[in-house]
C-alpha cells in the first residue's frame, strides 16, 4: 500500500465501480484522448484506458510515477498510455493534442488553478470531468447565486454536478464529501479578444469586491461604472439594489462589453 502524502492532496479512490461511473459520465469515446491529472495509484486510469483511444496521465509524485510505470508497462509499451512526471502548474497545455478531454480526481488544493489554466488557455479541452469538493461542485453548478468561481466557469462552458462521492470512498478519507463536476460545451465564444476576456474578469472581480454592497456601488468605487453600463442595466431591468451574486452570466457579459 502506498503512503498518502498530504502535501500533494492525495486521497485515493478505493472502488473501481466509482472510477467506472466517473469514466461513464465523462462520455469518452474510443476516438478521444483523455488527459488525467494526478493518476495516483491508477484506479481511474484503468477505466479511462477501457474507453479512450489514448490516455495522457500527469503525476507529480515520483514514487507513484515509478509504480505506475511498472503497473501499466504494457499500456505504455503499446502507446495507449503516456505517463508524464511533473507539476501540472508548469505544464505546457499547448503540447496536448486538440480536442482532448480532462477526466481526473484532482488534489483539492489545485481546483481553482486547474479551472483557470484549462479554461483560459487557447488549447481548451472539449470537456472536463473532475472530482472536486461537494461544496465547490454545488457552488459552480448552481444557478441561484453566482460567485466569481461560478462565473469564471460559466463564461467558458456548461457546468453540471453529476453525483456525490462520499468521503469514505477514499483512503485516506478527506474531511468533506466530493462530487463529480462536468463542464461541457467549452469554448471562448463569449470573448472576441484577450482584452474582452480581461475586461470581463476585471468587472466581475470589482463587482464582487464587497459582498454586502450593491454591485453598482462596487463598480463605481473601482472606477468601472459608466453611463453606458447604467443604460444597459436599465434595459435589462436590473435593480440598482442588485448584489453581484444576483446577476447571471449574460448580464455580466453585457455590461462588460466595450462598445
Ligand atoms: N487519481 C487518483 C485516484 O483517484 O485515486 C489520485 C487522486 S489524488 C486526490 C490527487 C493526485 O494528484 C495524487 O496522485 C497526487 O500525487 C497528484 N498531484 C498532486 N499535486 C499535483 C501536481 N501539482 N501536479 C500533478 N499531480 C499532482
Amino acid at each position: 500500500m502506498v503512503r498518502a502524502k498530504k502535501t500533494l492532496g492525495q486521497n485515493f479512490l478505493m472502488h473501481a465501480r466509482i472510477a467506472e461511473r466517473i469514466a461513464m459520465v465523462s462520455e469518452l469515446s474510443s476516438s478521444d484522448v483523455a488527459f488525467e491529472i494526478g493518476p495516483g495509484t491508477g484506479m481511474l486510469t484503468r477505466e479511462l484506458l477501457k474507453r479512450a483511444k489514448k490516455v495522457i496521465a500527469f503525476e507529480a509524485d515520483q514514487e507513484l510515477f515509478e509504480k505506475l510505470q511498472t503497473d501499466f508497462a504494457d499500456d505504455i509499451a503499446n502507446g495507449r498510455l503516456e505517463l508524464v512526471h511533473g507539476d501540472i502548474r508548469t505544464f505546457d497545455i499547448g503540447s496536448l493534442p486538440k480536442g482532448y478531454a480532462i477526466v481526473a480526481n484532482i488534489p483539492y488544493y489545485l481546483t481553482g488553478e486547474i479551472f483557470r489554466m484549462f479554461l483560459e488557455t487557447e488549447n481548451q479541452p472539449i470537456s472536463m470531468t473532475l472530482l472536486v469538493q461537494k461544496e465547490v461542485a454545488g457552488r459552480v453548478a448552481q444557478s441561484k447565486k453566482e460567485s466569481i468561481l461560478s462565473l469564471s466557469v460559466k463564461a467558458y462552458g456548461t457546468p453540471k454536478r453529476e453525483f456525490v462521492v462520499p468521503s469514505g470512498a477514499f483512503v485516506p478519507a478527506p474531511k468533506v464529501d466530493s462530487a463529480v463536476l462536468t463542464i461541457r460545451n467549452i469554448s471562448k465564444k463569449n470573448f472576441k479578444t484577450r482584452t474582452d476576456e480581461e475586461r470581463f474578469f476585471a468587472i466581475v472581480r470589482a463587482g464582487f469586491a464587497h459582498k454586502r454592497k450593491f454591485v453598482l456601488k462596487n463598480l463605481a468605487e473601482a472606477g468601472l461604472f459608466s453611463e453606458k453600463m447604467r443604460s444597459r442595466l436599465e434595459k435589462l431591468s436590473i435593480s440598482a439594489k442588485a448584489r453581484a451574486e444576483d446577476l447571471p452570466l449574460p448580464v455580466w457579459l453585457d455590461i462588460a462589453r466595450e462598445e
Side-chain angles (χ1 to χ4, degrees), residues 76-92:
I76 296 170
N78 66 28
R80 294 208 49 239
L81 175 64
E82 189 180 324
L83 260 185
V84 190
H85 178 234
D87 188 324
I88 193 66
R89 290 169 291 188
T90 56
F91 176 60
D92 171 18

Side-chain angles (χ1 to χ4, degrees), residues 122-207:
E122 286 308 315
N123 190 22
Q124 292 172 312
I126 46 162
S127 64
M128 293 170 87
T129 304
L130 299 174
L131 204 48
V132 297
Q133 285 176 314
K134 185 174 113 180
E135 182 266 334
V136 172
R139 204 144 45 90
V140 170
Q142 71 149 316
S143 53
K144 285 197 195 91
K145 295 264 176 229
E146 298 297 353
S147 60
I148 298 182
L149 182 71
S150 67
L151 292 165
S152 313
V153 172
K154 289 176 184 173
Y156 298 103
T158 314
K160 182 177 174 208
R161 196 184 91 161
E162 301 282 354
F163 61 90
V164 171
V165 181
S167 65
F170 304 90
V171 168
K175 287 200 180 72
V176 293
D177 289 339
S178 299
V180 175
L181 177 77
T182 53
I183 308 171
R184 299 189 206 281
N185 309 314
I186 297 177
S187 79
K188 289 216 176 197
K189 70 174 168 41
N190 285 324
F191 307 111
K192 281 201 211 90
T193 62
R194 180 71 192 143
T195 318
D196 280 357
E197 207 170 345
E198 280 165 5
R199 192 176 145 77
F200 168 81
F201 282 106
I203 286 181
V204 168
R205 274 194 301 272

Side-chain angles (χ1 to χ4, degrees), residues 8-13 36-44 58-61 64 86-89 105-107 109-110:
L8 286 173
Q10 294 178 349
N11 301 100
F12 301 112
L13 260 178
E36 185 185 8
I37 301 158
T41 53
M43 183 66 88
L44 181 58
F58 204 94
E59 176 55 60
D61 186 327
L64 287 176
D87 188 324
I88 193 66
R89 290 169 291 188
N105 171 18
I106 53 173
Y109 79 95
L110 282 183

